[in-house]
Amino acid sequence: MKKFEEKTLSSKKIFTGKVISLQVDDVELPDGKTGKREIIKHPGAVAVIALTSENKIIMVEQYRKALERSLVEIPAGKLEKGEEPVLSAKRELEEETGYECEKMEHIISFYTSPGFADELVHLYVAHNLKKKENAAPLDEDEFVEMLELTLEEAQTYMDEGKIQDAKTAYAVQYLQLKKAMTS
Amino acid sequence: MKKFEEKTLSSKKIFTGKVISLQVDDVELPDGKTGKREIIKHPGAVAVIALTSENKIIMVEQYRKALERSLVEIPAGKLEKGEEPVLSAKRELEEETGYECEKMEHIISFYTSPGFADELVHLYVAHNLKKKENAAPLDEDEFVEMLELTLEEAQTYMDEGKIQDAKTAYAVQYLQLKKAMTS
């Protein structure tokens, strides 16, 4: 899909960081005029809907410096270089929660902020969880606390703004839809 | 919510653009060590679920330079400086689709990429649409084509990857959940 394609006239790298990089492109717009696009490059990420045997949703609370507050989110993390998303999902689940699963089912991948960033989040459902002994540790700059919430509690957390990110909101709604369709 | 707060030791502004700005913060982690956080500041955005009198979902196709492809999305756009989100939602709906509505109902606000950006998207449902004569025009660097999709068509677009952004995926699922709960 290339409708209204914007051709790159020049591209200037502004910043290359550990997580993101920033470039500004000069583009030719569909009407022949020129414009500027500010673009963030991101390696992509995974997120995991994981339910315990009591049907509770596993969440993690962590501080988000960009927001200067903590959020409760489903387990998630960045893709490492060259890493297959499904393996990344298993790794993040283990690191953040200590759980492993028999099967990771891919349900959707979406761009989080297509207006300025290429971050693509791959969302999975983890089936048949079990606690792993000697689970892989978190990255050294990661601090998270695990929670287990019923679907009703997750909805309350959303109403209260404790859950307030797109992937977790999608995940909670996914479980609500599943429940509505089977009841 | 300040759990695992990361105190700012210093903050360096790297870039200030038309849409986003970038800073890198040195932080004190909860264990007393130091770390770096790459942070994108964004003015926030609105997105609108708008149904025609035939119950079709209004979408717009536009080119997303960050992805080098076009996407089909619900009408959306950035907040202008000091603009109230509900007024921004009305403005974007009118500019991108030529429709106005009697009532904008707020349903959720979510952070799109809390790991690196503060962008908050406010999602609305527009009630009682009508075509507006002399609707406000698009920004001069915006090119969009309007589509009207049934819920089934929107799901097909998702399966085919034509719809692949978080806010639109959430919106389609929202309408599916609403349908499941009333049928």
Side-chain angles (χ1 to χ4, degrees):
Chain A
M1 294 168 72
K2 289 279 181 186
K3 197 173 193 83
F4 304 125
E5 183 171 0
E6 299 174 355
K7 297 214 180 78
T8 308
L9 300 172
S10 66
S11 182
K12 189 176 168 195
K13 197 79 149 181
I14 308 284
F15 173 80
T16 302
K18 229 176 46 170
V19 180
I20 55 175
S21 64
L22 166 64
Q23 68 193 51
V24 177
D25 288 5
D26 285 303
V27 301
E28 184 184 317
L29 298 169
D31 63 0
K33 293 183 181 165
T34 58
K36 279 190 190 295
R37 299 294 181 213
E38 299 158 5
I39 296 168
I40 297 296
K41 295 282 183 182
H42 184 283
V46 294
V48 181
I49 299 174
L51 300 177
T52 67
S53 53
E54 293 86 40
N55 223 26
K56 290 192 172 183
I57 313 163
I58 298 178
M59 301 265 186
V60 293
E61 181 169 358
Q62 63 192 305
Y63 196 71
R64 293 306 203 172
K65 186 65 185 168
L67 316 178
E68 295 292 9
R69 56 167 290 202
S70 58
L71 281 180
V72 173
E73 304 170 40
I74 55 173
K78 289 181 303 292
L79 288 176
E80 290 180 1
K81 209 179 158 72
E83 188 180 35
E84 251 192 274
V86 65
L87 298 180
S88 176
K90 287 181 180 175
R91 178 179 54 74
E92 289 290 348
L93 180 66
E94 182 180 331
E95 288 176 6
E96 294 196 344
T97 73
Y99 279 102
E100 59 184 346
C101 69
E102 273 178 25
K103 191 185 150 205
M104 275 287 177
E105 178 196 1
H106 177 257
I107 55 166
I108 189 172
S109 297
F110 45 63
Y111 294 104
T112 52
S113 301
F116 68 93
D118 72 346
E119 183 192 31
L120 183 63
V121 170
H122 306 278
L123 182 60
Y124 292 86
V125 176
H127 294 280
N128 301 332
L129 293 193
K130 61 172 191 245
K131 267 284 177 194
K132 190 169 178 182
E133 307 220 350
N134 302 313
L138 287 167
D139 292 345
E140 61 175 340
D141 66 350
E142 268 191 309
F143 299 84
V144 308
E145 183 174 275
M146 195 172 78
L147 294 83
E148 298 182 358
L149 302 180
T150 64
L151 186 52
E152 293 66 32
E153 286 167 338
Q155 185 57 55
T156 302
Y157 272 49
M158 287 182 64
D159 299 340
E160 294 171 352
K162 291 177 186 166
I163 290 174
Q164 202 179 5
D165 71 302
K167 65 182 177 306
T168 307
Y170 186 91
V172 171
Q173 199 180 52
Y174 173 88
L175 294 169
Q176 286 170 331
L177 178 57
K178 203 161 174 189
K179 186 178 168 191
M181 291 179 72
T182 53
S183 66
Chain B
M1 292 168 73
K2 290 278 182 187
K3 199 174 191 83
F4 303 125
E5 183 172 1
E6 300 174 354
K7 296 214 179 80
T8 307
L9 301 173
S10 66
S11 181
K12 189 177 169 193
K13 198 80 149 179
I14 308 285
F15 173 81
T16 302
K18 227 176 47 168
V19 180
I20 55 175
S21 64
L22 167 64
Q23 68 192 52
V24 178
D25 287 5
D26 286 302
V27 300
E28 184 184 317
L29 299 170
D31 63 0
K33 292 183 182 166
T34 58
K36 278 189 191 297
R37 299 294 181 212
E38 299 158 6
I39 295 168
I40 297 296
K41 295 282 180 181
H42 184 283
V46 293
V48 181
I49 300 174
L51 300 177
T52 67
S53 52
E54 292 87 37
N55 224 23
K56 289 190 173 184
I57 314 163
I58 298 178
M59 302 265 187
V60 292
E61 182 170 358
Q62 63 192 306
Y63 196 72
R64 293 306 202 173
K65 186 65 184 167
L67 317 177
E68 295 292 9
R69 57 166 290 203
S70 57
L71 280 180
V72 173
E73 303 170 39
I74 56 173
K78 287 182 301 294
L79 287 176
E80 289 180 1
K81 209 178 158 70
E83 189 179 35
E84 249 192 277
V86 65
L87 299 179
S88 177
K90 287 181 180 175
R91 178 180 55 73
E92 289 289 348
L93 180 66
E94 182 180 331
E95 289 176 5
E96 295 196 345
T97 73
Y99 279 102
E100 59 184 345
C101 69
E102 273 179 25
K103 191 186 151 205
M104 276 286 178
E105 178 196 1
H106 176 257
I107 55 167
I108 189 172
S109 297
F110 46 63
Y111 295 104
T112 52
S113 301
F116 67 93
D118 71 347
E119 184 192 31
L120 183 63
V121 171
H122 306 277
L123 183 60
Y124 291 85
V125 176
H127 293 280
N128 301 332
L129 294 193
K130 61 171 192 248
K131 268 284 176 195
K132 188 168 181 182
E133 307 220 350
N134 304 313
L138 287 166
D139 293 344
E140 61 174 341
D141 66 348
E142 268 190 309
F143 299 86
V144 309
E145 183 175 273
M146 196 172 77
L147 294 83
E148 297 182 358
L149 301 180
T150 64
L151 186 52
E152 293 66 33
E153 287 168 338
Q155 184 57 55
T156 303
Y157 271 49
M158 287 183 64
D159 298 341
E160 294 171 351
K162 290 176 186 167
I163 290 174
Q164 201 178 5
D165 71 302
K167 66 183 175 305
T168 307
Y170 186 91
V172 171
Q173 197 177 238
Y174 173 88
L175 294 170
Q176 286 171 331
L177 178 58
K178 202 159 177 190
K179 186 178 168 192
M181 290 179 74
T182 53
S183 66

